[in-house]
């Protein structure tokens, strides 16, 4: 996985620059070609293809950028408890979610954002496997694995582990699918739904902490993923227990992203924080919505890379009507030309995908804090 990660990072950075040339030049070319001509149409298609490739690169970078940012002691019991309502929102009404936590603390040493990512990836896959609805059970256990169990299936050291189980009653998987689930880019979903990187990322995160994943699935009956992470001894005090409850800011947030999954997930996170959420899949639709409804916006959250006008252009246009509303940009293109720290105003900030509830909450509170000063 490490070698794959490094290679992915290298390829992704190089590809990024190539794509920038393709997209940048086709943008320059478009306005000087007669509109409606074959040439203009081809250039439009080149640009669209560049955008699709950019999306893939962004996904690759998220796998590659896997080093733990902040390792602390995380109690899976608390983490699951804190995310339960949020997970309920992303899985929707048709899915019946139940959670069960362990009797004793299930403490592991990890970056909490990454463990949230693991849980989200598994829950979203479970939701996708149950389009007609079903049951989703999330459980936390503390388990001792002896030599046999640890070794035979899981390739782990014997010892104490925190177990995270995610079980669905969805479509399940046949043997061929099951054998490939952790493979980069392996997906059985249409391109706008699946990237085939969710489980690759999940696997990378879990392995990095010395853990393992076990999958059990039967076609037509459902799937159970079990994640094992080494338990941290009781003696080590949890740095801070649950995150302090954030102030309930309220108000309306506009969220713009062309990926429906991102809109739904980020929208759910913001609703969880107490905001009303307006969504749009491109800048033009966002402008149109603001024009029509003139909402009072507490915050604007937008992807930087959008089809048509960019997130940056959108913010510039909205600035006229919303001079005091902070803007949070989301993107995977941290080191990109389109994004320059120096150009960020005091009411602007930036968050890298994939976005986790914790990172979003911190950023939003920081921005709103600045805005209220
Ligand atoms: P993606 O969700 O983008 O397709 P993942 O890496 O998350 O990528 O999953 C890869 C594939 O594994 C999915 O396309 C699906 O075929 C299969 N899969 C994962 N989780 C489940 C599940 N809970 N039930 C059935 N199939 C699943
Ligand atoms: Mg997935």
């Amino acid at each position: 996985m490490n070698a794959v990660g490094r290679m992915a990072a290298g390829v992704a950075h190089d590809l990024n620059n190539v794509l920038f040339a393709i997209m940048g030049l086709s943008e320059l070319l478009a306005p000087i070609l007669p509109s409606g001509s074959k040439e203009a149409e081809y250039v439009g298609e080149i640009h669209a293809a560049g955008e699709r490739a950019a999306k893939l690169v962004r996904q690759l970078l998220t796998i590659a950028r896997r080093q733990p940012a902040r390792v602390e002691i995380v109690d899976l019991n608390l983490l699951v408890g804190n995310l339960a309502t949020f997970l309920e929102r992303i899985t929707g009404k048709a899915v019946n979610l139940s959670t069960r936590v362990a009797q004793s603390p299930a403490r592991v040493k990890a970056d909490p954002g990454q463990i949230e990512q693991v849980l989200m990836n598994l829950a979203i896959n479970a939701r996708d496997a149950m389009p007609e609805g079903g049951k989703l059970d999330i459980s936390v256990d503390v388990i001792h694995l002896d030599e046999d169990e640890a070794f035979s299936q899981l390739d782990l050291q014997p010892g104490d582990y925190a177990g995270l189980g995610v079980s669905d009653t969805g479509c399940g998987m046949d043997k061929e699918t099951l054998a490939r689930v952790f493979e980069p880019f392996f997906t059985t979903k249409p391109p706008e739904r699946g990237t085939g990187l969710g489980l690759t990322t999940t696997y990378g995160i879990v392995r990095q902490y010395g853990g393992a994943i076990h999958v059990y699935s039967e076609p037509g009956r459902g799937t159970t993923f079990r994640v094992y992470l080494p338990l941290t001894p009781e003696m080590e005090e949890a740095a801070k227990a649950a995150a302090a409850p954030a102030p309930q800011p309220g108000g309306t947030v506009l969220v713009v992203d062309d990926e429906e999954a991102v809109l739904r997930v980020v929208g759910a996170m913001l609703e969880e924080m107490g905001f009303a959420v307006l969504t749009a899949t491109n800048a033009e639709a966002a402008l149109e919505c603001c024009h029509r409804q003139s909402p009072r916006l507490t915050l604007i959250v937008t992807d930087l890379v959008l089809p048509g006008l960019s997130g940056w252009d959108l913010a510039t246009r909205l600035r006229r009507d919303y001079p005091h509303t902070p803007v949070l940009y989301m993107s995977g293109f941290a080191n990109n030309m389109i994004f320059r720290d120096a150009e960020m105003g005091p009411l602007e900030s930036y968050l890298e995908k994939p976005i986790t509830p914790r990172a979003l909450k911190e950023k939003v509170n920081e921005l709103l804090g600045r805005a209220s000063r």
Side-chain angles (χ1 to χ4, degrees), residues 125 129 168 172-173 177 181 186-189 194-196 198-199 223 225:
N125 279 347
D168 66 61
M173 288 177 265
T177 305
V181 285
F186 174 76
T187 181
T188 55
K189 300 170 193 174
T195 58
L199 288 176
T223 303
F225 277 85

Side-chain angles (χ1 to χ4, degrees), residues 340-370:
R340 297 194 192 93
D341 253 321
E343 287 174 24
M344 286 273 187
L347 288 183
E348 291 175 318
S349 193
Y350 171 82
L351 198 56
E352 257 174 61
K353 290 182 179 177
I355 287 166
T356 64
R358 165 181 293 243
L360 182 69
K361 194 178 276 184
E362 277 178 12
K363 261 290 184 292
V364 167
N365 287 338
E366 180 199 317
L367 261 177
L368 294 182
R370 269 194 251 158

Side-chain angles (χ1 to χ4, degrees), residues 314-337:
L314 171 66
T316 310
R317 297 197 185 193
L318 284 176
R319 183 101 326 121
R320 268 173 255 149
D321 290 330
Y322 298 95
H324 306 296
T325 303
V327 181
L328 179 60
Y329 299 101
M330 310 179 281
S331 175
F333 284 96
N335 309 317
N336 224 297
M337 290 153 54

